[in-house]
Amino acid sequence: MKKIAIIGECMIELNGEAFGRMYQTYGGDTLNTATYLTRVTPSTVLEVQYISAMGTDKLSQQMIEHWQIDGINTNWVLRDPKRHAGLYLIQLDAQGERTFLYWRNQSAARYLLQHIEIEKVFEALIAVDMIYLSGISLAILPDHDRTALITKLIVLAKQGIKIAFDSNYRPALWESLEKTQEIYTALLPIVDLALVTFEDEQAIWQDKNALDTIHRLKQMGVKKVIVKQGKSGAMCSDRHNNQCFVPTQEVNNIVDTTSAGDAFNAGFLNGYLQGKPLYVCCEQGHQLAGLVIQYQGAIIDKSVTAHLINTFN
């Protein structure tokens, strides 16, 4: 059985109409990936550990219990009695595209690296096969904690732990574009698998196309690169620089694209951690994302994707 540790933040989600009816649930890019990954992968094949910090309040406890029901191992979700989960609000346009408002400056996850028990978590990470994190996992941390996290990951990578990274770029979370580039440049040389979105890479590095992104990331030391391009498909490049394009299947009823990339990553990682070819992993990512975007919210009802546990495994 393989083991993956996913580092990040989960927040309280509100979605609906401005000054109208709002629906409360939860979400966050890495938690979305963890959730969909457990839903499409038998626990006998893969153990998914989530690493974060949450409050000790009732709502935090209820959120964690929901993750456990989905099969996520929460032993490394640290509890912070002084803080609680952050909050975000989603507003959708007629095409299902979303805008976000965040309240997270004092969230427990922002201070994960300062938790008294974090060293025990890092010691335990030597037992996993892969560590996955995103640009948001880094962006929410104070700057000195970003550096501390990357230092820990460098040590683990040298011990054979594979690092997977989605650059998921949210400009409002960073002090400056230059700081984003600095932090990503420090991390990317140890990344085995990059699962990036072209729009993000274009915004950060001014790439002209997906091939530019692949070339740059390979030059920075990344072994395998997947460039997501929404409905335009995905480009992938293996460690030997063999490249392929994997198209999407048309989706007619797009409701909410909130966690499309996160769902893609889950479908991809299911295949990747089972040793499937990169193009098959991308096909799985497209298939899962194509289902998720037909429903509202970051995390949809598990019945919608239940059949994929047989299809993918």
Side-chain angles (χ1 to χ4, degrees), residues 5-273:
I6 297 179
I7 303 173
E9 176 188 34
C10 184
M11 306 174 71
I12 302 162
E13 175 188 307
L14 295 177
N15 63 65
E17 300 176 1
F19 305 109
R21 187 180 298 274
M22 285 284 173
Y23 177 70
Q24 176 189 310
T25 179
Y26 59 84
D29 65 336
T30 54
L31 192 279
N32 302 339
T33 295
T35 298
Y36 289 122
L37 183 54
T38 59
R39 289 183 179 183
V40 301
T41 315
S43 59
T44 54
V45 172
L46 179 67
E47 179 180 311
V48 179
Q49 290 265 10
Y50 196 59
I51 299 175
S52 189
M54 295 286 285
T56 55
D57 56 282
K58 184 176 181 180
L59 185 55
S60 292
Q61 180 61 33
Q62 290 173 334
M63 290 166 68
I64 292 171
E65 289 171 0
H66 276 282
W67 307 345
Q68 292 168 343
I69 290 170
D70 270 317
I72 298 171
N73 187 319
T74 61
N75 289 344
W76 298 343
V77 176
L78 306 180
R79 308 302 290 271
D80 185 337
K82 297 180 181 179
R83 301 179 179 92
H84 48 72
L87 170 72
Y88 70 99
L89 184 150
I90 304 174
Q91 291 178 287
L92 300 172
D93 65 18
Q95 287 72 46
E97 292 299 326
R98 74 280 193 216
T99 56
F100 296 87
L101 293 173
Y102 294 98
W103 296 265
R104 74 196 320 167
N105 286 343
Q106 292 302 313
S107 73
R110 175 172 167 79
Y111 297 93
L112 171 66
L113 269 289
Q114 299 176 32
H115 197 284
I116 191 172
E117 297 181 18
I118 190 61
E119 286 302 321
K120 294 180 181 178
V121 174
F122 285 124
E123 290 170 6
L125 282 173
I126 192 62
V128 305
D129 298 283
M130 174 175 278
I131 298 169
Y132 170 89
L133 72 161
S134 76
I136 294 176
S137 308
L138 294 167
I140 65 170
L141 301 175
D143 190 45
H144 57 86
D145 288 351
R146 295 172 188 149
T147 302
L149 175 56
I150 291 172
T151 300
K152 295 288 188 182
L153 293 177
I154 289 171
V155 172
L156 289 163
K158 289 179 179 178
Q159 294 176 296
I161 311 303
K162 302 301 183 185
I163 308 298
F165 179 62
D166 181 344
S167 60
N168 206 357
Y169 178 51
R170 297 290 181 268
L173 297 178
W174 291 93
E175 301 93 314
S176 66
L177 176 60
E178 291 73 22
K179 176 56 68 173
T180 308
Q181 293 172 334
E182 174 192 328
I183 295 298
Y184 285 14
T185 299
L187 175 68
L188 286 167
I190 63 165
V191 170
D192 183 72
L193 172 66
L195 290 157
V196 302
T197 300
F198 175 68
E199 288 183 357
D200 292 340
E201 299 303 291
Q202 187 177 47
I204 301 169
W205 306 101
Q206 294 75 55
D207 294 345
K208 293 182 175 62
N209 52 53
L211 291 177
D212 275 357
T213 297
I214 289 172
H215 178 72
R216 177 181 48 76
L217 288 171
K218 288 299 187 76
Q219 289 290 104
M220 297 176 83
V222 179
K223 306 297 188 299
K224 284 151 282 188
V225 179
I226 311 301
V227 184
K228 297 171 283 183
Q229 301 174 95
K231 64 181 180 180
S232 297
M235 286 288 298
C236 59
S237 178
D238 65 18
R239 65 171 60 250
H240 304 295
N241 293 320
N242 299 311
Q243 297 173 6
C244 66
F245 170 72
V246 186
T248 62
Q249 293 183 346
E250 185 175 356
V251 178
N252 295 319
N253 183 37
I254 298 176
V255 174
D256 185 354
T257 60
T258 297
S259 59
D262 309 330
F264 176 96
N265 292 353
F268 184 96
L269 288 169
N270 165 278
Y272 185 82
L273 290 166

